[in-house]
Structure formats: C-alpha cells, structure tokens
Amino acid sequence: MESRTNPSPGTLPCCVAFSQLLGLTVVALTGAWLGLYRGGIAWESALQFNVHPLCMVIGLVFLQGDALLVYRVLRNEAKRTTKVLHGLLHGFAFIIALVGLVAVFDYHKKKGYADLYSLHSWCGILVFVLYFVQWLVGFSFFLFPGASFSLRSRYRPQHVFVGASIFLLSVGTALLGLKEALLFNLGAKYSTFEPEGVLANVLGLLLAGFGLVVLYILTRADWKRPPQAEEQALSMDFKTLTEGDSPGSQ
Amino acid sequence: MESRTNPSPGTLPCCVAFSQLLGLTVVALTGAWLGLYRGGIAWESALQFNVHPLCMVIGLVFLQGDALLVYRVLRNEAKRTTKVLHGLLHGFAFIIALVGLVAVFDYHKKKGYADLYSLHSWCGILVFVLYFVQWLVGFSFFLFPGASFSLRSRYRPQHVFVGASIFLLSVGTALLGLKEALLFNLGAKYSTFEPEGVLANVLGLLLAGFGLVVLYILTRADWKRPPQAEEQALSMDFKTLTEGDSPGSQ
C-alpha cells in the first residue's frame, strides 16, 4: 500500500535524531551505572570486568545500530561512500566488541571463573561469530570488486535480514548480561527497589527502545534509499525482467 | 530489487513448517524443563509459579507468532477469514497469557514476595499492556465496521510494525525470565554445566531462533499477501494517487 518511489524522507530526520538521543543515553547510563555503583573502569584490577559491558554497549549496540542506519541517513550520497562508511562503522564496532570480549575472558581467567556456561555467554559468542562472518561476507560481496551485479542483488535481502537479526540478538544479549549482573551483584536486594536496580531496569528498557527505533527506521518502506541514476542504469535488466517496465522511464 | 507481484510463495511452506517445528519444540522443551527439574505444574501449591512460564511461552511466544503468520500462510483465502483468524489467535494468546500473569501474582502474594521489581517484570507488564491495546485498536480499525478504507490503509503499516515489536519484546522478556529462573534456582551450580542449565540455555537459543524465523517470514517482500480482486478494486483510488497506474489493468 506504500509508495516505493517517494523521495521525501518526511519525519526520518526526527526519528534518526531520536534514535541518537536514545543510543547516547544508553551509553551514558551504562557509564553512570558502572561509575556510580560498580566502582568504575580499569584494565589491571577487579574493575576489568566493567570494560566488558561498556565496550559491548558502545560497539555491538550503539555503533552497530548506527552502521545499519547509514543507508537511511545518507540517502542521497554516492552509494560507494555509504558502503565504505557502513563497513567502517561495523569494523570499528567489531574492534570495540573484541576489546570487551578479551576483557571478560581475561577477568574470568584471573579470578578462576568458568567460561561460557550461561545463556548470555552462549548468545554473546553466537552474535560475535555471526557478526564477524557477516562482515567478511558483506565485504567480499559489496566492497571487494568481483561479485557480479546479479549476485549482489540476490544476496542483498539476506544481508539486510541477517544484519538486522544480529543487531536484535545483540540487544537481547545485552539485556541478558544486564540481568545477570544485577542478580549477581544485588541478589535479594534487587527486590527492595535499590537505586542501582531501578537505574539498570531503566537502562534495559532504553536498550530495547533503541533496538526497536532502529528497526522502525530500517523497515519503513518509504524511507528506503532511492536508487541513484547509475544504479538505475545498472539494474535495467533486472527491473525489466521482474517488473516488466524500464527504470529509465522514471 | 524484489518483485512485489510475484504470486509464487517459493520456499514459504518449508519456512512455515520449520517455524512450527521450532515453536512446538520450544513449548515441549519448556514443559520438559518444568516437569523434569521444577516439579511439574499445579495451581494450589508452590508449583503454581510454573504455570507462568508455560502459559507465557504458549500464549505470548508460540500463539502470538502464529497469529502474525496467518497472513502469510493463508495467502489466497478471503481477507475477512484471515482477519478473523488473526484476531482470534491473538485473543486466545491473550487469555492464556492472562492465566500466566494471574498465576505469578497469586504465587507472589501467597509467598509474600515483592512484585514488579525486576527488568523481566517491567518488560512483561509493558508487553502485556501493549498487546491488549494493540488488540483493541486493531479490532476497532480492521474488524469492527466503521473505519474508512483510507484510515485502515494509513494505520496498517503502524499496526504491522507495532505487532512485530510486541512479539520481539515478548521473546526478549521470555529470555529474561528464563535467565532469572536459572540464576534463582541454580545459583553457583549454573557455572558447573548442570543438565538443567544446559537444557534451559538450549531452550533460550530456540526461543530466539523462533522469533527470528517468524520475523524472516514476515519481512520477506515476495511472501507478502498478494491483494485479492475485491481489495484491488477498493484500492484503485490509492494506487492511482500513489503509483500513477490503475490496478485494474493487471
């Protein structure tokens, strides 16, 4: 029922601004939680654990979400520029997440704690591996020269869906980790509405909210990136085959 | 890049069958977890708590997911039939979830436990209220006669997005609840790879998998319900206005 060719982004800038406000609040609130109630952050002490949630929220939630939004925000830039920025943001997010991963494994090793037993850790490792594979496959198809136009066109919808799924899994994994930290640290005090518990619950709701706002911007049909002139020319054969009309006539 | 008018569902039946296999496995595994490790289910004892996870997984995960899939599975049935089934499945899911909600509040009251302090409970109440409001608004717009065709067309994309979001939040809330139950019940034993912990982790991954498979079926552009003849006639004004061609010419 929606027009696919509408070039006007309407309230897109407001929604993007709202997503950024939410995302930055999530990062700030994670920092505030760790600073106010968990003693802050350091690499060479018991505070090393705290590097993990902060890096994961910055990398696998905020930056990953922003990398997904690049195609909506830069709707009228050259596709190559947008692709490079999309790949760079994901690469940057991956490196930050890697630091967060090393921090928690190193902390566990120093303390003699078991690794990879919880649902949070299983989901986390799954997300991390999928994220790396998706980045590599995406790079091979879309940035590395060689993949044909038809191959890219066939792979694109799968790339978009898998990317959005990894993002949603990342948000879910962050919520599981937050819950784990609260139950480990607060125990029975969690049920007495301790300020730390209330702050972390609010952080959890904002994390879920950020995930859904990013998903809304991604899935709005009339906010999808309109094809540029050179892409229209390249896709002529496909449009003719699948829709029975020439894109050049627009 | 994808054709919107392709009437062939391709691998849709296989994907729907896979989603049902996953969904039924999730329900069976929840039952197995409660039966094998949590003493089973009863209303008038400490086992009343166990009614909660089982009802929520059946109602707000499996049946809610299936209600979303009705428009993909019954692609060629009359729209009215599909709508009524969609509304009925959601209504049935809501009633089962209500029983699950009453069970946990009643159990907390009998035990003197605090209510609504955890992230799981905050997300759960949010999901429940949103689900009820969404059902009421959906019923008023799409089943109750009165809303104009243009109003329905404008509201439909919001209804679809909010519905999918509530479903994803439901899956996330179930994961948080599962994690909470594991940490409360197993405590330090969770890190020793107890069979209950491993089973519940697998259940968590399958829950997330069911959510993503339903989302995949919902979002595949070429699996969307093709407009029926009577809908095409009704939507003529809109298509003419937005796409500049007559749907009657197809």
Side-chain angles (χ1 to χ4, degrees):
Chain A
M1 295 292 158
E2 290 160 298
S3 166
R4 287 190 308 167
T5 52
N6 176 16
S8 159
T11 50
L12 174 62
C14 295
C15 269
V16 170
F18 181 61
S19 75
Q20 296 312 288
L21 187 69
L22 257 181
L24 290 170
T25 307
V26 161
V27 173
L29 221 53
T30 307
W33 167 53
L34 297 170
L36 287 172
Y37 300 105
R38 298 285 116 221
I41 283 174
W43 193 264
E44 292 298 340
S45 72
L47 299 178
Q48 188 182 17
F49 174 82
N50 295 346
V51 175
H52 175 69
L54 189 65
C55 281
M56 291 315 193
V57 164
I58 293 175
L60 285 185
V61 177
F62 183 59
L63 282 181
Q64 184 180 180
D66 274 11
L68 302 186
L69 294 184
V70 158
Y71 285 97
R72 300 296 175 275
V73 175
L74 306 177
R75 296 169 85 244
N76 300 309
E77 298 296 318
K79 195 155 189 181
R80 180 100 197 145
T81 317
T82 324
K83 268 187 197 181
V84 170
L85 188 60
H86 178 76
L88 276 177
L89 270 175
H90 274 312
F92 197 39
F94 180 79
I95 292 166
I96 294 177
L98 187 64
V99 174
L101 200 70
V102 170
V104 75
F105 276 103
D106 200 36
Y107 172 80
H108 276 197
K109 195 177 164 191
K110 284 173 188 166
K111 289 274 185 180
Y113 293 163
D115 285 318
L116 299 176
Y117 64 85
S118 74
L119 180 57
H120 166 69
S121 61
W122 286 26
C123 289
I125 285 295
L126 182 70
V127 160
F128 199 76
V129 172
L130 287 176
Y131 197 56
F132 184 58
V133 172
Q134 165 90 344
W135 194 91
L136 279 184
V137 178
F139 183 84
S140 316
F141 270 80
F142 299 120
L143 276 168
F144 196 74
S148 69
F149 183 80
S150 71
L151 205 61
R152 285 179 180 181
S153 292
R154 281 203 299 275
Y155 171 58
R156 189 175 294 112
Q158 324 303 328
H159 180 77
V160 170
F161 179 78
V162 173
S165 299
I166 294 172
F167 172 66
L168 290 173
L169 264 181
S170 303
V171 173
T173 306
L175 292 177
L176 286 173
L178 187 65
K179 180 93 192 183
E180 195 170 274
L182 282 173
L183 289 174
F184 279 152
N185 296 321
L186 291 176
K189 281 200 293 178
Y190 192 20
S191 66
T192 60
F193 294 89
E194 285 277 307
E196 180 181 354
V198 174
L199 179 101
N201 285 359
V202 171
L203 172 57
L205 289 181
L206 293 177
L207 267 165
F210 177 70
L212 292 177
V213 171
V214 168
L215 194 68
Y216 181 71
I217 297 170
L218 278 184
T219 53
R220 267 256 328 226
D222 54 341
W223 286 351
K224 290 198 172 149
R225 197 172 182 275
Q228 307 289 301
E230 72 272 27
E231 297 158 36
Q232 287 186 340
L234 277 167
S235 67
M236 185 180 289
D237 289 346
F238 276 81
K239 291 223 172 195
T240 310
L241 279 169
T242 56
E243 295 180 16
D245 63 74
S246 162
S249 65
Q250 287 175 358
Chain B
M1 295 292 159
E2 290 159 296
S3 166
R4 285 190 309 169
T5 52
N6 176 15
S8 159
T11 51
L12 173 63
C14 296
C15 268
V16 170
F18 182 60
S19 75
Q20 296 313 290
L21 187 70
L22 258 181
L24 289 171
T25 307
V26 160
V27 172
L29 221 54
T30 307
W33 167 52
L34 297 170
L36 287 171
Y37 300 106
R38 298 285 117 223
I41 283 175
W43 193 264
E44 292 298 340
S45 72
L47 300 178
Q48 188 182 18
F49 175 82
N50 295 346
V51 175
H52 175 68
L54 189 66
C55 280
M56 290 316 191
V57 164
I58 293 175
L60 285 185
V61 177
F62 183 59
L63 283 181
Q64 183 180 181
D66 274 10
L68 301 186
L69 295 184
V70 158
Y71 285 97
R72 300 297 176 276
V73 176
L74 305 178
R75 296 170 84 244
N76 300 309
E77 299 295 318
K79 196 155 189 182
R80 180 99 197 147
T81 317
T82 324
K83 268 188 198 181
V84 169
L85 188 61
H86 178 77
L88 276 177
L89 271 175
H90 275 313
F92 197 39
F94 180 79
I95 291 166
I96 293 176
L98 187 64
V99 174
L101 200 71
V102 170
V104 75
F105 274 105
D106 200 36
Y107 172 80
H108 276 196
K109 195 176 164 191
K110 285 174 187 165
K111 290 274 185 179
Y113 291 164
D115 286 316
L116 299 176
Y117 63 85
S118 73
L119 180 56
H120 165 69
S121 61
W122 286 26
C123 289
I125 285 295
L126 183 68
V127 160
F128 199 77
V129 171
L130 286 176
Y131 197 55
F132 184 58
V133 172
Q134 165 89 344
W135 194 91
L136 280 183
V137 177
F139 183 84
S140 317
F141 270 79
F142 299 121
L143 276 169
F144 196 74
S148 69
F149 182 80
S150 70
L151 205 61
R152 286 180 179 180
S153 292
R154 280 203 299 276
Y155 171 57
R156 189 175 293 111
Q158 324 303 328
H159 180 77
V160 171
F161 179 78
V162 173
S165 299
I166 294 172
F167 173 66
L168 290 173
L169 265 181
S170 303
V171 173
T173 305
L175 292 177
L176 286 174
L178 187 65
K179 180 93 192 183
E180 194 170 275
L182 282 174
L183 290 174
F184 278 152
N185 296 322
L186 290 176
K189 282 200 292 178
Y190 191 21
S191 66
T192 60
F193 294 89
E194 286 277 307
E196 180 180 354
V198 175
L199 178 100
N201 285 359
V202 172
L203 172 58
L205 290 182
L206 293 178
L207 267 165
F210 177 70
L212 292 177
V213 172
V214 168
L215 195 68
Y216 181 71
I217 297 170
L218 278 185
T219 53
R220 268 260 320 231
D222 54 341
W223 286 350
K224 291 197 173 150
R225 197 172 182 275
Q228 309 289 302
E230 71 272 30
E231 297 158 36
Q232 287 187 340
L234 276 167
S235 68
M236 186 180 288
D237 289 346
F238 276 83
K239 290 222 173 197
T240 310
L241 278 168
T242 56
E243 295 180 16
D245 63 84
S246 162
S249 65
Q250 285 176 359

